[in-house]
């Protein structure tokens, strides 16, 4: 254990070196505190001898070696943040919708519970392992150490943006429930049961009337067979289908916002967010497809409607790119004419910095409130439900583990 005197000497030396670095900053031409962005301050700190020694130690102990996932991500996302965000939106919108062609029209949404659990693990893993650390601390750099500048009220504003994103989805979900008369438009299993229950009730009534008619009259050879009545869809189910399309469209907008903001934060965060959204989109699109079929849509019409809602993802991506390009960020993109724009409420935050925490709040809602209740539904068979629960937890840990493995490497 080092003595207190040696620790004190190290602290004094470090303080002297840091003071020398700050003196160099103040003595340089056209370099005052007001004209330096956060990125420029960090660049100046890299000139400190102590920081340079730390950089050498970091490279020696943890040499930067590209992993398999980083190579794959470099191939999939080779362009600028804007181009990569548009490519990611194409990746998450195209394949899941084309998979609907392979889905049978009578698919049971409750059979997707394992896939939904896997998607929940991916979404929560991306939010907890990638988005939130990036929001409050930033991303680690392979070639040098990084510093976090703590500002008054900065973390509070980031937390407010997370809460606004969460409450935005609460308000949207609440409005849709009011519009559907208290029913959850996303509850695929309940809608399935209600539609089937209505059909069974109508069928049982028809069978009762038919049996009473047959008892009163004996059929002859010339008696024509009764034609089966046309299958009718409950009007509330039709309304639920259309409202679900609206909810899907707005949900895709937030996905586009998440992709654009994450790629502007860093290529790694953008790539992991794309993976998490892709995992979530497959069961989400299949469940919505089944709901539209139960609402009276044909298979072709349901697929077309899903492709139309995919436009919302591109819309959200374009809005996010515009906010990042014109709203600026604390990393230096908000500088105009060599001067840094005034931050929000006395902090270095720009409007573009609030986009990522906003989408993190929406991810928290989707991964918890919007999906977890479906996984909590149980049936009367305890043994079967126990096996189903273990499978769901295994799928959830698998999704979160993939996000952790990508982040760890």
């Amino acid at each position: 254990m080092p003595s207190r005197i040696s620790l004190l000497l190290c602290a004094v030396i470090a303080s002297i070196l840091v003071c020398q670095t700050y003196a160099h900053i103040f003595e340089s031409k056209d370099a005052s505190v007001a004209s330096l962005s956060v990125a420029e301050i960090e660049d100046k700190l890299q000139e400190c001898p102590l920081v340079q020694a730390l950089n050498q130690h970091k490279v020696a102990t943890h040499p930067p070696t590209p992993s398999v996932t980083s190579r794959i991500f470099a191939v999939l996302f080779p362009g600028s943040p804007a181009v990569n965000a548009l490519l990611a939106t194409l990746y998450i919108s195209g394949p899941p919708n084309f998979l609907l062609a392979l889905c049978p029209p009578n698919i049971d949404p409750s059979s997707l519970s394992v896939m939904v659990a896997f998607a929940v693990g991916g979404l929560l893993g991306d939010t907890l392992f990638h988005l939130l650390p990036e929001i409050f601390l930033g991303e680690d750099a392979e070639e040098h150490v990084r510093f976090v500048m703590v500002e008054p009220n900065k973390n509070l504003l980031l937390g407010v943006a997370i809460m606004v994103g969460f409450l935005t989805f609460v308000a949207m979900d609440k409005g849709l429930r009011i519009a559907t008369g208290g029913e959850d438009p996303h509850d695929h299993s309940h809608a399935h049961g209600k539609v089937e229950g209505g059909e069974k009730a109508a069928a049982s009534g028809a069978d009762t009337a038919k049996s009473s008619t047959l008892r009163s009259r004996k059929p002859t050879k010339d008696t024509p067979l009764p034609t089966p009545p046309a299958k009718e869809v409950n009007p509330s189910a039709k309304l639920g289908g259309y409202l679900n399309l609206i909810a899907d469209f707005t949900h895709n907008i937030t996905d586009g916002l998440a992709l654009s903001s994450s790629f502007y934060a860093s290529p790694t965060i953008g790539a992991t967010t794309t993976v998490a959204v892709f995992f979530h989109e497959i069961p989400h699109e299949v469940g919505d497809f089944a709901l539209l079929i139960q609402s009276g849509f044909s298979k072709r019409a349901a697929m077309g409607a899903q492709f139309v809602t995919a436009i919302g993802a591109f819309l959200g991506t374009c809005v996010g790119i515009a906010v990042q390009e014109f709203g600026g960020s604390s990393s230096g993109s908000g500088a105009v004419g060599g001067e840094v724009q005034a931050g929000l409420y006395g902090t270095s935050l720009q409007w573009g910095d609030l986009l990522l925490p906003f989408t993190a709040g929406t991810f928290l809602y989707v991964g918890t409130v919007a999906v977890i209740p479906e996984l909590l539904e149980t049936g009367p068979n305890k043994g079967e439900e126990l096996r189903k629960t273990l499978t769901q937890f295994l799928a959830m840990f698998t999704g979160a583990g993939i996000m952790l493995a990508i982040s760890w490497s």
Side-chain angles (χ1 to χ4, degrees), residues 222-242:
D222 298 332
T223 304
L225 295 175
T227 58
K231 185 184 294 185
E232 295 183 358
V233 181
N234 192 346
S236 62
K238 289 183 178 181
L239 177 61
Y242 287 110

Side-chain angles (χ1 to χ4, degrees), residues 33-392:
V33 176
S35 63
L36 291 177
S37 66
V38 176
E40 291 172 340
I41 292 175
E42 185 171 354
D43 290 339
K44 293 294 184 180
L45 289 175
Q46 295 298 325
E47 300 176 6
C48 174
L50 177 61
V51 176
Q52 291 177 355
L54 290 174
N55 292 338
Q56 295 175 359
H57 176 72
K58 180 177 182 178
V59 173
T61 55
H62 298 85
T65 54
S67 60
V68 177
T69 54
S70 62
R71 295 192 188 100
I72 296 175
F73 291 156
V75 174
L76 294 176
F77 308 108
S80 64
V83 173
N84 290 340
L86 291 173
L87 286 175
T89 307
L90 181 64
Y91 295 152
I92 68 159
S93 300
N97 283 309
F98 282 112
L99 287 176
L100 298 179
L102 304 177
C103 293
N106 58 345
I107 186 172
D108 186 5
S110 62
S111 63
L112 303 174
S113 60
V114 176
M115 191 180 297
V116 169
F118 178 77
V120 168
L123 273 181
L124 293 181
D126 182 56
T127 303
L128 299 176
F129 305 151
H130 302 141
L131 296 183
L132 293 182
E134 168 70 25
I135 290 168
F136 291 103
L137 298 177
E139 189 182 17
D140 184 29
E142 294 183 352
E143 67 278 2
H144 59 79
V145 296
R146 298 199 60 181
F147 298 90
V148 178
M149 186 173 65
V150 180
E151 303 177 51
N153 301 328
K154 177 181 178 180
N155 289 339
L156 292 178
L157 289 179
L158 294 174
V160 168
I162 295 174
M163 188 173 183
V164 169
F166 188 91
L167 293 180
T168 298
F169 258 49
V170 172
M172 185 185 71
D173 199 356
K174 185 70 173 180
L176 289 172
R177 289 171 188 260
I178 294 174
T180 55
E183 299 177 3
D184 184 2
H186 297 286
D187 197 345
H188 303 142
S189 58
H190 288 175
H192 181 73
K194 289 177 182 177
V195 174
E196 284 191 348
E199 292 176 359
K200 289 179 180 178
S204 61
D207 292 341
T208 303
K210 187 188 299 181
S211 60
S212 62
T213 304
L214 290 176
R215 289 194 193 99
S216 62
R217 185 178 57 154
K218 184 177 180 180
T220 61
K221 293 182 180 181
D222 298 332
T223 304
L225 295 175
T227 58
K231 185 184 294 185
E232 295 183 358
V233 181
N234 192 346
S236 62
K238 289 183 178 181
L239 177 61
Y242 287 110
L243 290 176
N244 186 77
L245 289 176
I246 298 175
D248 193 15
F249 186 84
T250 55
H251 174 85
N252 288 338
I253 291 178
T254 59
D255 286 344
L257 291 173
L259 294 175
S260 58
S261 59
S262 59
F263 272 105
Y264 274 89
S266 74
T268 303
I269 299 299
T272 54
T273 302
T274 304
V275 174
V277 174
F278 182 82
F279 287 163
H280 172 67
E281 278 302 304
I282 294 178
H284 178 73
E285 294 295 333
V286 174
D288 289 342
F289 171 76
L291 182 75
L292 293 177
I293 294 295
Q294 295 160 11
S295 301
F297 284 68
S298 64
K299 183 175 181 179
R300 179 176 297 181
M303 289 183 60
Q306 292 296 87
F307 273 102
V308 171
T309 58
I311 299 176
F314 287 95
L315 177 61
T317 302
C318 293
V319 171
I321 292 174
V323 172
Q324 294 290 341
E325 292 290 340
F326 301 104
S329 66
S330 60
S331 61
S333 60
V336 178
E339 297 183 359
V340 179
Q341 294 179 346
L344 298 174
Y345 298 100
T347 67
S348 62
L349 292 175
Q350 305 292 332
W351 286 109
D353 296 318
L354 301 182
L355 197 56
L356 190 63
F358 176 85
T359 55
T362 64
F363 275 20
L364 285 175
Y365 182 86
V366 173
T368 54
V369 180
V371 180
I372 292 296
E374 296 184 18
L375 302 181
L376 294 178
E377 295 178 356
T378 56
N381 192 333
K382 296 182 179 179
E384 181 181 354
E385 291 299 328
L386 181 59
R387 289 190 296 270
K388 182 179 177 181
T389 301
L390 293 176
T391 305
Q392 291 173 346

Side-chain angles (χ1 to χ4, degrees), residues 387-409:
R387 289 190 296 270
K388 182 179 177 181
T389 301
L390 293 176
T391 305
Q392 291 173 346
F393 269 92
L394 179 61
M396 194 180 303
F397 285 128
T398 302
I402 292 175
M403 293 292 104
L404 181 61
I406 295 175
S407 179
W408 196 271
S409 60

